[in-house]
Every structure is written in structure tokens, then in C-alpha cells.
Amino acid sequence: MSSSTDINPRRLVGITAERATNVSNAEFPGHYPGEDHSWDLQKFYENTTVRVTKLSNRSIEFDIIGVDASIANAFRRIMLAEVPTVAIERVYVFDNTSIIQDEVLAHRIGLVPLNVDPGIMDYRDPNDETLATDRNTIVFKVDLTCTRNPSVPKGSSEDPAVLYTNHEFLSSHLVWQPAGEQETVFAEVDKPGSTNPNIVLAKLRPGQSINMELHAVKGVGKDHAKFNPVATASYRLHPNIVLKGDIPPDRIEALKKCFAPGVVRVNSLTGKPYIDREAMRGDYVTREVLRHPDLADKVELSRIRDHFIFGVETEGAYKPEALLPEAIKVMRSKISTMKAAAEALLEVKRQEDVTMGES
Amino acid sequence: MAEPSRPKIIIMKGATDNLSAATYQIYGESHTIGNSLRWMLMKNPKVEFCGYSVPHPSEPTIQIRIQMYDDLSSLEALIKALSDLDDLCVSIENKYETTLQHDDYYRFEEKS
């Protein structure tokens, strides 16, 4: 039978039928008599684990073990709202006779994920529109007219792709207009455009056309969700399931069904059930087992309070593995801004104390 | 995006003269910094009390209240907490880079 003796009970958030118990960590100086919980970088470094578990071209899963929820949450919030990206902010419509209204189409175009590295762009001053330069604005043009395909005999097909040319306005129709030094800057990397060429932005029929100029700028997710660099960024706490006491052999099947597949296994020699630690990680902790009166007291459900399993998916310019470092970079720059401001305040305070001492 | 004239941190009315108890208003920050800074300040044994609030969801400010033992300066504690938070970020980043480069993890391809 599996045991949780290796996990400090102080690290567990209990999960009972109607309540979560021991929700917050209380390891602060002065809380536990005789224990020192003051900040110690060395101790923190030794007790913290970061581990990547899965990586693809679009998503990453990693564990951060040994940090407080406020830290994990800060990284998650920064990934969502404060890591900059580039998105289309201004749409100048010269002609739009498609069925989609200008403002709706403009909104859809804004949401197109662009492949531009935000690191090479500056922020544009929102108070001064004349300040568009080659360093803060990327210009795209769209000029599409849908026409009938003359080579297709009448009535021979129902498919608009056969009948017409340009029957769809796709994200691949954005044509980059290089300006200034952009031609050389983007020479080594991919040409600016959508990361996904197949996003349908509008459908067209013969005679309808779209002619627009689009300006992409750098921004952050807290300003508009289109600047959000991640598709999702979330974390969950590592589940912890412990069996205690004997389970009658005829109830083992019922026990298995209370958890995700593979979590409860049976030892082939003893016939006793045990928890598969590997599979337990993926359990949903549904509390189904607590609905069975005969099984409820044989199982202890909990989650590990300081074991965060992050899942980050991306569709934009950043590689999934680059997002946490970017979030940390943003966090550190926030800290250094605040530190400079606080040190300036301290200096002012010292000056005041000196002048007051003299008078 | 910020109005340039607005200071990043101000000490709010009602602070003691030696700043052993003070409330700081930080402009342009939210729960992200508020909660993690509060946690780091509470890790300081010389801090008697620390709490933060976001006074209004449509105003981009937070307020952090710090009260110190032994008439110590809360401003110095704030600066120390900021440096410690920075150290924490660096160690997490180091550990992340190490695992990313050296660990053997599951890799796969996804269609977008």
C-alpha cells in the first residue's frame, strides 16, 4: 500500500466532502514556536525544485515546487497580462463591401496572432499619434476583390472555392509593407505575418472587396486581450491520495472507478490495491470516493500546497519555453522600478531628518 | 502609458515620523506585486504586520501597510523585501534554465 509518509502534513491542503482544510501556509516568523521561517535565500534555493515535464512546439508543462502561492500566481498573472506582444491596433478601412461590418472586422483582425518578436520593437506613445516610426509600428495592407471564376461552367459546382477567386479573407492575405530599417531588421527572421495562415477573417462573394491598411504595435494583455502572449497559462496543485485500512476485495472495482484511469492499481501478488504515484498526478480529485460511505473513511484526499503544475499554451510569437523567463524578466523590471522609487523616498527622508536636526 | 508626473510610490498620510508604521501607495501595480511583496515582507521577523489592498478595481494602484517592531524603518524593510523578491526570481529562473537544458522530459509536436 502506498503511504504519504514522505510528504510533510503541513504541506497538504485537505479535501473533504464539503470543505477544503488547511488552505493557507502559515510558515512565517513567529507563527510556529521555536522555528525560524524568516527569508533565507540559501534555504529557499535548496528547498525549491523547478522541473519541466512536457514540451511541444505549442505548449509546455512544468512544476514549481516549494514556492508560495503568491509567487506562483504572480508568474501566472504576468504571463497573462504583462508580457508584451505585437498585435494590430489600428485599421484604416478604405473599402469594405463584405458582409462583416468595419468595426467587427477590425476587431477580428486585431486578434490575429503575429509572429513578430516584441523584443525588437518599442512601445508607441498612445498620446501622440504622429509618433509612428519604423521601430514601433508594422504596417500591413490588404487588398482583395472576390470575382467569379470564368472557367467554371454555370451549375457545375456548389463549392465557393471552385466558383470564385478570393472568396475568403484569410490571415495569410496580410501583406507586410516594410518601412525604414525594417527590411534589414527582419532579414534574418521570418517576415512579419500571422503565425497561422489559415484564419478566416471574412467571407466574400463576387463584387465584394476589402481594402485596408493595418498598423501593428506593441502592447500588453492588461490593455487588451489581443496582446495576451499565451492561449492559456494556469496552474493546479499536485493531488495526493492515500489509502488507509483494508478495502474488501469486492469493493476494489468500485474504488478504481472513483479515480482517473490507472490511479488505483492492484498488487498482483497480494491482491491489495495501491495508488500509482505517477498516475495520481493526473487525477482530478473529484471527491467521488467520498460519496461511498464504506470507502470514504478508507481514503484521504489532499493536494500539495506548494507543488504547482503549470500548463502554458501559446499561439503567438513566443516559444512556450520562453514564457516563464519573459514573465520573470517583467517581474524583475517591476521590482527594480519600485526599488529605485523606494530608495529615492529613503533619500528624501534622510535629507528631511538632517534639516530637522539642524533647526 | 502612465502619466509621467505621477510618482511610483508615495507614503500615505498618517505614517509615523520614523516610518515604523506606514502605508505605501504604489502606482501601476496590482495583486501580482501586492500579494508577493506582502508575502516577502511577512517573511521578515522585524515586520509586525503587513497587508495590501487594491482600493478600487478601476484605479491602477495598490496600498501596502507595513508596521515594524522596535521602531525600525518600514521603508528599509520594503527595500529589503524588493531585493529578496528579486533574488527569488533569479533563483527560479536559474532552476528553470537548468531543467530546460539538462532534464529529460517528454517532447511532442502539436498542430496549431
Side-chain angles (χ1 to χ4, degrees):
Chain A
M1 203 177 284
S2 145
S3 75
S4 73
T5 44
D6 51 332
I7 295 172
N8 180 349
R10 224 184 248 176
R11 289 176 63 202
L12 296 178
V13 178
I15 295 168
T16 62
E18 301 290 343
R19 262 189 113 85
T21 62
N22 305 315
V23 180
S24 341
N25 174 299
E27 293 192 325
F28 294 110
H31 187 91
Y32 295 104
E35 292 180 24
D36 175 28
H37 288 295
S38 55
W39 172 251
D40 182 335
L41 182 61
Q42 188 65 32
K43 239 198 246 174
F44 173 82
Y45 198 81
E46 282 161 15
N47 296 331
T48 305
T49 308
V50 181
R51 196 166 51 213
V52 177
T53 51
K54 279 183 205 167
L55 176 66
S56 86
N57 53 333
R58 283 277 171 249
S59 66
I60 187 169
E61 186 184 88
F62 57 89
D63 293 19
I64 301 185
I65 310 161
V67 299
D68 187 69
S70 60
I71 306 298
N73 197 38
F75 293 148
R76 183 194 64 87
R77 284 175 64 98
I78 292 175
M79 280 191 262
L80 287 166
E82 292 180 73
V83 171
T85 63
V86 177
I88 291 163
E89 171 75 358
R90 281 166 195 280
V91 175
Y92 300 91
V93 182
F94 306 120
D95 187 14
N96 172 23
T97 48
S98 77
I99 196 162
I100 298 193
Q101 302 91 320
D102 294 0
E103 63 276 24
V104 180
L105 186 57
H107 177 245
R108 290 174 66 78
I109 290 169
L111 296 170
V112 169
L114 300 178
N115 62 1
V116 182
D117 173 13
I120 56 177
M121 281 183 70
D122 294 340
Y123 284 105
R124 185 154 137 185
D125 182 355
N127 301 320
D128 189 351
E129 292 193 24
T130 59
L131 274 184
T133 69
D134 52 346
R135 292 202 176 168
N136 62 26
T137 307
I138 289 176
V139 178
F140 296 95
K141 277 207 166 141
V142 181
D143 192 0
L144 277 184
T145 302
C146 180
T147 50
R148 232 171 257 285
N149 189 349
S151 61
V152 179
K154 209 173 183 180
S156 65
S157 174
E158 293 269 287
D159 183 4
V162 176
L163 288 174
Y164 320 122
T165 54
N166 288 336
H167 78 293
E168 280 176 331
F169 168 24
L170 300 173
S171 52
S172 57
H173 289 136
L174 308 182
V175 184
W176 174 46
Q177 308 286 304
E181 63 180 22
Q182 285 177 358
E183 197 108 50
T184 42
V185 170
F186 287 98
E188 296 113 62
V189 292
D190 283 348
K191 221 169 76 170
S194 173
T195 55
N196 184 334
N198 300 317
I199 304 167
V200 179
L201 295 165
K203 294 210 171 188
L204 300 172
R205 283 297 176 267
Q208 298 180 344
S209 50
I210 288 176
N211 184 0
M212 294 183 301
E213 186 172 304
L214 320 168
H215 291 189
V217 302
K218 184 171 166 178
V220 289
K222 63 181 173 185
D223 174 41
H224 193 292
K226 69 186 172 189
F227 293 115
N228 183 344
V230 294
T232 66
S234 64
Y235 58 71
R236 62 193 175 94
L237 295 182
H238 195 293
N240 190 51
I241 304 160
V242 180
L243 296 183
K244 42 176 200 175
D246 280 336
I247 285 129
D250 63 319
R251 297 296 287 152
I252 291 177
E253 254 334 283
L255 182 73
K256 276 187 179 174
K257 284 188 177 157
C258 291
F259 297 97
V263 174
V264 176
R265 290 179 179 278
V266 179
N267 185 316
S268 51
L269 291 174
T270 61
K272 293 205 166 172
Y274 68 95
I275 301 291
D276 183 312
R277 311 290 295 178
E278 199 77 6
M280 183 175 80
R281 179 187 164 90
D283 191 69
Y284 303 104
V285 198
T286 56
R287 294 174 291 160
E288 169 67 11
V289 67
L290 303 179
R291 298 178 66 236
H292 302 263
D294 58 330
L295 296 175
D297 56 345
K298 300 217 164 24
V299 180
E300 226 169 64
L301 298 179
S302 54
R303 287 182 182 272
I304 305 170
R305 192 189 297 112
D306 62 354
H307 188 149
F308 298 90
I309 302 172
F310 274 81
V312 179
E313 297 171 19
T314 164
E315 190 58 50
Y318 291 103
K319 285 188 164 149
E321 65 268 30
L323 281 157
L324 184 70
E326 286 296 330
I328 292 175
K329 206 197 282 174
V330 172
M331 177 116 170
R332 292 192 66 197
S333 88
K334 287 156 95 66
I335 290 170
S336 82
T337 315
M338 276 182 287
K339 210 174 151 198
E343 274 162 355
L345 271 183
L346 192 66
E347 196 48 45
V348 170
K349 181 78 188 156
R350 279 202 184 119
Q351 299 286 338
E352 272 173 16
D353 289 352
V354 168
T355 41
M356 269 164 65
E358 280 166 356
S359 58
Chain B
M1 271 168 256
E3 302 152 55
S5 57
R6 192 140 178 192
K8 185 74 182 172
I9 303 179
I10 56 170
I11 300 171
M12 298 185 77
K13 210 169 88 178
T16 57
D17 280 339
N18 58 8
L19 289 184
S20 82
T23 305
Y24 298 87
Q25 188 178 65
I26 306 180
Y27 177 74
E29 298 298 343
S30 62
H31 294 283
T32 308
I33 284 298
N35 199 16
S36 42
L37 198 55
R38 188 222 84 218
W39 177 80
M40 189 53 94
L41 277 155
M42 284 173 75
K43 279 285 191 187
N44 182 342
K46 293 295 180 194
V47 171
E48 180 191 34
F49 171 83
C50 178
Y52 86 99
S53 75
V54 179
H56 194 281
S58 58
E59 281 173 10
T61 58
I62 54 169
Q63 292 174 2
I64 294 189
R65 172 75 180 171
I66 310 171
Q67 289 172 206
M68 304 294 292
Y69 288 119
D70 307 334
D71 281 341
L72 290 164
S73 163
S74 63
L75 190 51
E76 278 166 27
L78 180 68
I79 292 170
K80 180 186 180 304
L82 286 166
S83 329
D84 290 344
L85 208 52
D86 195 53
D87 293 343
L88 181 149
C89 288
V90 174
S91 34
I92 298 221
E93 189 170 17
N94 283 344
K95 286 186 178 253
Y96 179 79
E97 293 299 342
T98 313
T99 171
L100 194 64
Q101 281 164 25
H102 302 294
D103 278 7
D104 187 25
Y105 41 84
Y106 175 60
R107 283 167 178 270
F108 60 111
E109 280 289 309
E110 268 177 301
K111 280 178 89 179
S112 58

